Amino acid sequence: MKLLTHNLLSSHVPGLRPGGGFPLRIEAAEVRVRPVPFNAAFVSRLVPRLRWEALREAAESLGRPSELPPEPLPDYEADEEFLRRLHHVLLEVEVLEGSLQCPDSGRRFPISRGVPNMLLSEDQ
Amino acid sequence: RSSRVVEIQSQMSERAVELLGLPEDRPCLLLDVGCGSGLSGDYISEEGHYWIGMDISPAMLDVAVEREVEGDLLLADVGHGIPFRPGMFDGCISISAVQWLCNADKKSHSPPKRLYRFFSTLYTALARGSRAVLQLYPENSEQLELITAQAMRAGFTGGMVVDYPNSTKAKKFFLCLFVGTSGTLPKGLGTECANEEQHQAKFTNERTRFRNIKGKSVKKSRDWILEKKERRRRQGKEVRPDTKYTGRKRRPHF
């Protein structure tokens, strides 16, 4: 699971209050870095969609010092160094084993071989 | 996997992405519902877009992992909802998956409920102005109606695009859904050819056209302009009619 996916993912356990499913808390047992070709235009267009604080927390929770500033830099579209660092955090760092925990319900979703298991039980 | 099956999947993925009508030369973030082993995802990656895939089969996802697909994968049942924050995706495709939501299972919710949960959460997860293109094999017209009705209930506009409606073998259904805009539904393939040939006499002043080594028209030539306009028509975009003025040389001040 990439951190981009994690930043967009919201728990769909029924009955949560609005926004109660985000962000999922990452418990990572195995993390890997896999290079991905950099595309400045794509990364730049992602910035308005991201929850920045959740992204920094996620990077920190993976035991990696966060290379991201407290907020997106002004004029980030033209700042290649900033975009490259963001690209690395969003697309190149993957959680292979571990789990995601829904903040409101406490429900855990295991991650295996990089794939989170979001299946709910039948009565949900 | 037989290569013919793979080829058909690939063609359907290509058509689905075409029907998305994405802006040219802009990498987008797409959702692939029922991504399976990642065949459709591979096509999305080839087109320069990024994707997140969802599938209910752990075995298929294992294959996708083995194949090292570029998209990120989730094991999930889309009948329980699309678990993303609002407005995150630039588009959604699905190849041969949505009809599975119609299967009644005494343990789980009824098909209309599952379909509605799927469509309403998908609607939320998509950005305004984007589309969902869902290729499916409906069992019968009742199933088609059920699926379309739940999609409309969830807020989507749009409808069914049918390619090659007169061929039992080649006929394909694409549910083409718009979020927040009332777009023009794209034309199905193979719907006009038969009629046109019979009712119109074609007069052509065909001179030899110049094409480059790849067999494509030289960029910005009249041919290239006409092809681009036709491409955009197939995507359901509004395009000015082709006239004798199309692609004519303008005065030097342009």
Side-chain angles (χ1 to χ4, degrees), chain B residues 104-128:
Chain B
D105 180 345
K106 56 183 176 192
K107 276 197 232 161
S108 68
H109 293 303
S110 66
K113 252 186 153 159
R114 283 167 58 72
L115 283 164
Y116 180 71
R117 181 127 181 92
F118 164 65
F119 282 119
S120 57
T121 51
L122 177 62
Y123 187 84
T124 306
L126 287 166
R128 302 304 99 189

Short mmCIF file of all heavy atoms in Angstrom, two decimals, chain B residues 104-128:
data_model
loop_
_atom_site.label_atom_id
_atom_site.label_comp_id
_atom_site.label_asym_id
_atom_site.label_seq_id
_atom_site.Cartn_x
_atom_site.Cartn_y
_atom_site.Cartn_z
N ALA B 104 -27.74 -12.55 -6.05
CA ALA B 104 -28.40 -12.58 -4.75
C ALA B 104 -27.76 -13.65 -3.89
O ALA B 104 -27.49 -14.74 -4.35
CB ALA B 104 -29.88 -12.87 -4.94
N ASP B 105 -27.47 -13.29 -2.66
CA ASP B 105 -26.82 -14.20 -1.73
C ASP B 105 -27.60 -14.09 -0.44
O ASP B 105 -27.76 -13.00 0.07
CB ASP B 105 -25.37 -13.76 -1.56
CG ASP B 105 -24.61 -14.66 -0.61
OD1 ASP B 105 -25.25 -15.44 0.13
OD2 ASP B 105 -23.37 -14.57 -0.61
N LYS B 106 -28.13 -15.19 0.07
CA LYS B 106 -29.05 -15.04 1.22
C LYS B 106 -28.39 -14.42 2.44
O LYS B 106 -29.03 -13.83 3.28
CB LYS B 106 -29.69 -16.38 1.59
CG LYS B 106 -28.72 -17.49 1.91
CD LYS B 106 -29.45 -18.79 2.21
CE LYS B 106 -28.39 -19.86 2.42
NZ LYS B 106 -28.88 -21.19 2.45
N LYS B 107 -27.03 -14.54 2.51
CA LYS B 107 -26.34 -13.93 3.66
C LYS B 107 -26.24 -12.42 3.54
O LYS B 107 -26.30 -11.70 4.51
CB LYS B 107 -24.93 -14.51 3.77
CG LYS B 107 -24.86 -15.84 4.50
CD LYS B 107 -23.42 -16.13 4.93
CE LYS B 107 -23.00 -17.50 4.46
NZ LYS B 107 -21.54 -17.66 4.45
N SER B 108 -26.03 -11.97 2.31
CA SER B 108 -25.71 -10.54 2.17
C SER B 108 -26.96 -9.75 1.81
O SER B 108 -28.04 -10.27 1.63
CB SER B 108 -24.63 -10.34 1.12
OG SER B 108 -25.15 -10.67 -0.15
N HIS B 109 -26.79 -8.47 1.67
CA HIS B 109 -27.90 -7.58 1.32
C HIS B 109 -28.43 -7.90 -0.07
O HIS B 109 -27.77 -8.50 -0.87
CB HIS B 109 -27.42 -6.13 1.35
CG HIS B 109 -27.07 -5.66 2.72
ND1 HIS B 109 -27.96 -5.69 3.77
CD2 HIS B 109 -25.93 -5.14 3.22
CE1 HIS B 109 -27.37 -5.21 4.85
NE2 HIS B 109 -26.14 -4.88 4.55
N SER B 110 -29.62 -7.41 -0.36
CA SER B 110 -30.23 -7.63 -1.66
C SER B 110 -29.45 -6.89 -2.73
O SER B 110 -28.79 -5.88 -2.46
CB SER B 110 -31.67 -7.10 -1.63
OG SER B 110 -31.65 -5.70 -1.48
N PRO B 111 -29.51 -7.38 -3.98
CA PRO B 111 -28.79 -6.72 -5.07
C PRO B 111 -29.08 -5.23 -5.22
O PRO B 111 -28.14 -4.44 -5.36
CB PRO B 111 -29.21 -7.52 -6.31
CG PRO B 111 -29.47 -8.89 -5.78
CD PRO B 111 -30.05 -8.68 -4.41
N PRO B 112 -30.34 -4.79 -5.18
CA PRO B 112 -30.54 -3.34 -5.32
C PRO B 112 -29.81 -2.54 -4.25
O PRO B 112 -29.25 -1.48 -4.52
CB PRO B 112 -32.06 -3.17 -5.18
CG PRO B 112 -32.63 -4.49 -5.53
CD PRO B 112 -31.63 -5.51 -5.08
N LYS B 113 -29.79 -3.08 -3.02
CA LYS B 113 -29.11 -2.38 -1.93
C LYS B 113 -27.62 -2.30 -2.19
O LYS B 113 -26.99 -1.26 -1.98
CB LYS B 113 -29.34 -3.12 -0.61
CG LYS B 113 -30.28 -2.41 0.34
CD LYS B 113 -30.34 -3.14 1.68
CE LYS B 113 -30.69 -2.17 2.80
NZ LYS B 113 -31.23 -2.86 3.97
N ARG B 114 -27.03 -3.44 -2.63
CA ARG B 114 -25.59 -3.47 -2.88
C ARG B 114 -25.24 -2.54 -4.03
O ARG B 114 -24.24 -1.80 -3.98
CB ARG B 114 -25.15 -4.91 -3.18
CG ARG B 114 -25.05 -5.76 -1.92
CD ARG B 114 -24.93 -7.23 -2.24
NE ARG B 114 -23.79 -7.58 -3.08
CZ ARG B 114 -22.54 -7.58 -2.67
NH1 ARG B 114 -22.23 -7.22 -1.43
NH2 ARG B 114 -21.57 -7.93 -3.50
N LEU B 115 -26.07 -2.61 -5.09
CA LEU B 115 -25.83 -1.74 -6.24
C LEU B 115 -25.90 -0.27 -5.83
O LEU B 115 -25.05 0.53 -6.21
CB LEU B 115 -26.87 -2.01 -7.33
CG LEU B 115 -26.65 -3.27 -8.16
CD1 LEU B 115 -27.91 -3.62 -8.93
CD2 LEU B 115 -25.48 -3.08 -9.12
N TYR B 116 -26.90 0.07 -5.03
CA TYR B 116 -27.04 1.46 -4.62
C TYR B 116 -25.87 1.91 -3.75
O TYR B 116 -25.33 3.01 -3.92
CB TYR B 116 -28.36 1.70 -3.88
CG TYR B 116 -28.49 3.13 -3.45
CD1 TYR B 116 -28.72 4.13 -4.40
CD2 TYR B 116 -28.32 3.51 -2.12
CE1 TYR B 116 -28.78 5.47 -4.03
CE2 TYR B 116 -28.39 4.85 -1.75
CZ TYR B 116 -28.63 5.82 -2.71
OH TYR B 116 -28.67 7.14 -2.34
N ARG B 117 -25.45 1.03 -2.85
CA ARG B 117 -24.31 1.38 -1.99
C ARG B 117 -23.05 1.59 -2.83
O ARG B 117 -22.28 2.51 -2.60
CB ARG B 117 -24.08 0.26 -0.96
CG ARG B 117 -22.93 0.55 -0.01
CD ARG B 117 -23.33 0.44 1.47
NE ARG B 117 -22.19 0.76 2.32
CZ ARG B 117 -21.92 1.98 2.78
NH1 ARG B 117 -22.72 2.98 2.49
NH2 ARG B 117 -20.85 2.19 3.52
N PHE B 118 -22.88 0.72 -3.83
CA PHE B 118 -21.75 0.85 -4.74
C PHE B 118 -21.80 2.18 -5.49
O PHE B 118 -20.86 2.97 -5.48
CB PHE B 118 -21.74 -0.32 -5.73
CG PHE B 118 -20.86 -0.09 -6.93
CD1 PHE B 118 -19.48 0.03 -6.80
CD2 PHE B 118 -21.42 0.00 -8.20
CE1 PHE B 118 -18.67 0.25 -7.91
CE2 PHE B 118 -20.61 0.21 -9.32
CZ PHE B 118 -19.24 0.34 -9.17
N PHE B 119 -22.93 2.45 -6.15
CA PHE B 119 -23.04 3.65 -6.99
C PHE B 119 -23.00 4.93 -6.16
O PHE B 119 -22.37 5.91 -6.57
CB PHE B 119 -24.32 3.60 -7.83
CG PHE B 119 -24.23 2.72 -9.03
CD1 PHE B 119 -25.07 1.63 -9.18
CD2 PHE B 119 -23.28 2.97 -10.02
CE1 PHE B 119 -24.99 0.81 -10.29
CE2 PHE B 119 -23.17 2.15 -11.14
CZ PHE B 119 -24.04 1.06 -11.27
N SER B 120 -23.63 4.95 -5.01
CA SER B 120 -23.65 6.20 -4.24
C SER B 120 -22.27 6.54 -3.68
O SER B 120 -21.86 7.70 -3.70
CB SER B 120 -24.70 6.16 -3.12
OG SER B 120 -24.47 5.06 -2.27
N THR B 121 -21.54 5.52 -3.23
CA THR B 121 -20.21 5.81 -2.71
C THR B 121 -19.21 6.09 -3.84
O THR B 121 -18.28 6.88 -3.67
CB THR B 121 -19.69 4.66 -1.82
OG1 THR B 121 -19.81 3.43 -2.53
CG2 THR B 121 -20.49 4.57 -0.53
N LEU B 122 -19.44 5.46 -5.00
CA LEU B 122 -18.60 5.75 -6.17
C LEU B 122 -18.81 7.20 -6.60
O LEU B 122 -17.85 7.93 -6.89
CB LEU B 122 -18.94 4.80 -7.33
CG LEU B 122 -18.18 5.05 -8.64
CD1 LEU B 122 -16.68 4.88 -8.46
CD2 LEU B 122 -18.68 4.13 -9.75
N TYR B 123 -20.06 7.60 -6.63
CA TYR B 123 -20.40 8.98 -7.00
C TYR B 123 -19.64 9.98 -6.12
O TYR B 123 -19.09 10.97 -6.60
CB TYR B 123 -21.91 9.19 -6.87
CG TYR B 123 -22.40 10.52 -7.37
CD1 TYR B 123 -22.68 10.72 -8.72
CD2 TYR B 123 -22.61 11.60 -6.50
CE1 TYR B 123 -23.13 11.94 -9.20
CE2 TYR B 123 -23.06 12.82 -6.97
CZ TYR B 123 -23.33 12.98 -8.32
OH TYR B 123 -23.78 14.19 -8.79
N THR B 124 -19.62 9.70 -4.83
CA THR B 124 -18.93 10.58 -3.89
C THR B 124 -17.42 10.60 -4.11
O THR B 124 -16.78 11.65 -4.02
CB THR B 124 -19.22 10.13 -2.44
OG1 THR B 124 -20.62 10.07 -2.25
CG2 THR B 124 -18.62 11.09 -1.43
N ALA B 125 -16.87 9.43 -4.41
CA ALA B 125 -15.40 9.34 -4.53
C ALA B 125 -14.86 9.99 -5.80
O ALA B 125 -13.66 10.28 -5.90
CB ALA B 125 -14.97 7.86 -4.49
N LEU B 126 -15.74 10.24 -6.77
CA LEU B 126 -15.31 10.83 -8.04
C LEU B 126 -15.35 12.35 -7.98
O LEU B 126 -16.21 12.94 -7.33
CB LEU B 126 -16.21 10.35 -9.18
CG LEU B 126 -16.01 8.90 -9.61
CD1 LEU B 126 -17.17 8.44 -10.48
CD2 LEU B 126 -14.70 8.76 -10.38
N ALA B 127 -14.42 12.99 -8.71
CA ALA B 127 -14.39 14.45 -8.76
C ALA B 127 -15.52 14.96 -9.65
O ALA B 127 -15.98 14.25 -10.54
CB ALA B 127 -13.05 14.92 -9.30
N ARG B 128 -15.97 16.20 -9.40
CA ARG B 128 -17.01 16.81 -10.25
C ARG B 128 -16.52 16.85 -11.68
O ARG B 128 -15.35 17.13 -11.93
CB ARG B 128 -17.31 18.26 -9.83
CG ARG B 128 -17.77 18.51 -8.41
CD ARG B 128 -18.97 17.75 -8.02
NE ARG B 128 -18.62 16.54 -7.26
CZ ARG B 128 -19.47 15.59 -6.93
NH1 ARG B 128 -20.73 15.68 -7.29
NH2 ARG B 128 -19.08 14.55 -6.25
#
